[in-house]
Amino acid sequence: MLYESENTAESSLDRVEASFLTLTESPGGLGVNGADFPGLADRWFGLRELRVEVTRPQTSVATRQAVWAFLLRSREVDAWKVAAVGMAMPALRHIAATLAPAYRGDVADLDAEVLTGFVEVFAGLPADAGGIPARLVFGGYRAGLAETESYRRPGTDLPVVEAVPPWPWLDARWLLAQATEREVISSEDARLLVVNRLRGVALAELSSRRFPGEELAVRRRRAERGLAAAVAVGDLGPGTGGGR
């Protein structure tokens, strides 16, 4: 088991991270031979170092894909299951932390849902699938989004766009482009979300006589609800078509 079901002050993500750090302690910690992966140096990489390496912008998509394919092939061994979650921890933490302010339940429960979403995809994804890291963390994102929507704090917006783990895990702009292509949201609303949610330009600054702030807020809310619904039913995301 990767986590316990009972609710404690320490969340499931905290416990898996602690286990990951224990498994990767030197000497004798888990690691890989870099020669087995394209783009890595011909030397031993402990998993803590490997986790940093696969999140560097300079690391190629082929290298990340090969590392995650190896983790999928190793998933029958419990230690490697923990290792895989630990490798994805930066993305899972981003999802949970971004959603937490809008969640009215115990944040440990939200962490557990994000973890469960990741693990469910990890358990069934073929090792020869395309876009492995994106598909795995999107499982955590989808589960966390659904949990937060079910127990959202009154008066708060669901941070649909902001909670998407940033590149090299995923790319919120790619998700918005996919949503536009599939007519989940309009191209105008996608641009609104990029400028307002990703670039941080306030609606008051975007307000005009043609599009007053109140109207922009309504459009933003409608677009984010459409995105969340499409993600929940599997109409959007890596592995659903659209280039990943």
Side-chain angles (χ1 to χ4, degrees):
M1 290 291 291
L2 289 175
Y3 61 92
E4 302 293 335
S5 59
E6 53 267 15
N7 186 21
T8 65
E10 185 181 41
S11 82
S12 52
L13 293 181
D14 294 330
R15 293 194 290 275
V16 175
E17 176 69 359
S19 297
F20 174 82
L21 295 177
T22 299
L23 286 171
T24 56
E25 286 179 350
S26 297
L30 286 182
V32 300
N33 183 352
D36 295 335
F37 305 93
L40 291 183
D42 184 5
R43 63 175 178 82
W44 182 258
F45 283 81
L47 289 192
R48 296 191 199 189
E49 182 183 6
L50 188 65
R51 179 165 72 177
V52 173
E53 190 69 23
V54 298
T55 57
R56 293 173 63 238
Q58 300 91 331
T59 301
S60 71
V61 172
T63 300
R64 284 192 288 270
Q65 176 75 2
V67 168
W68 280 99
F70 165 78
L71 292 168
L72 286 177
R73 292 193 298 270
S74 305
R75 62 188 156 196
E76 297 305 315
V77 179
D78 284 345
W80 284 104
K81 292 179 185 177
V82 175
V85 180
M87 290 286 289
M89 192 60 67
L92 301 181
R93 291 284 199 195
H94 172 88
I95 295 165
T98 306
L99 292 172
Y103 185 60
R104 62 180 174 88
D106 190 319
V107 292
D109 294 335
L110 177 59
D111 284 1
E113 288 299 318
V114 171
L115 175 59
T116 298
F118 174 93
V119 170
E120 287 178 349
V121 178
F122 182 75
L125 190 65
D128 61 354
I132 292 172
R135 293 192 194 199
L136 291 174
V137 300
F138 198 83
Y141 169 76
R142 183 172 55 242
L145 203 62
E147 175 70 7
T148 307
E149 177 68 358
S150 297
Y151 296 96
R152 184 151 46 103
R153 290 183 184 277
T156 62
D157 291 325
L158 187 64
V160 181
V161 178
E162 302 96 313
V164 176
W167 180 258
W169 299 102
L170 284 166
D171 186 338
R173 287 175 174 82
W174 174 84
L175 185 65
L176 291 172
Q178 189 187 57
T180 300
E181 178 185 342
R182 299 180 184 184
E183 299 183 343
V184 173
I185 61 175
S186 69
S187 58
E188 292 81 5
D189 287 348
R191 285 193 291 270
L192 173 63
L193 292 176
V194 168
V195 174
N196 175 239
R197 294 305 198 190
L198 298 181
R199 297 180 187 168
V201 180
L203 292 183
E205 295 183 48
L206 298 174
S207 179
S208 66
R209 181 174 299 178
R210 182 182 178 190
F211 297 114
E214 295 84 354
E215 180 180 335
L216 294 177
V218 170
R219 283 175 47 193
R220 183 183 65 184
R221 186 176 303 111
R222 182 183 61 225
E224 289 174 332
R225 287 176 176 172
L227 283 172
V231 167
V233 299
D235 287 345
L236 293 179
T240 64
R244 292 194 184 188

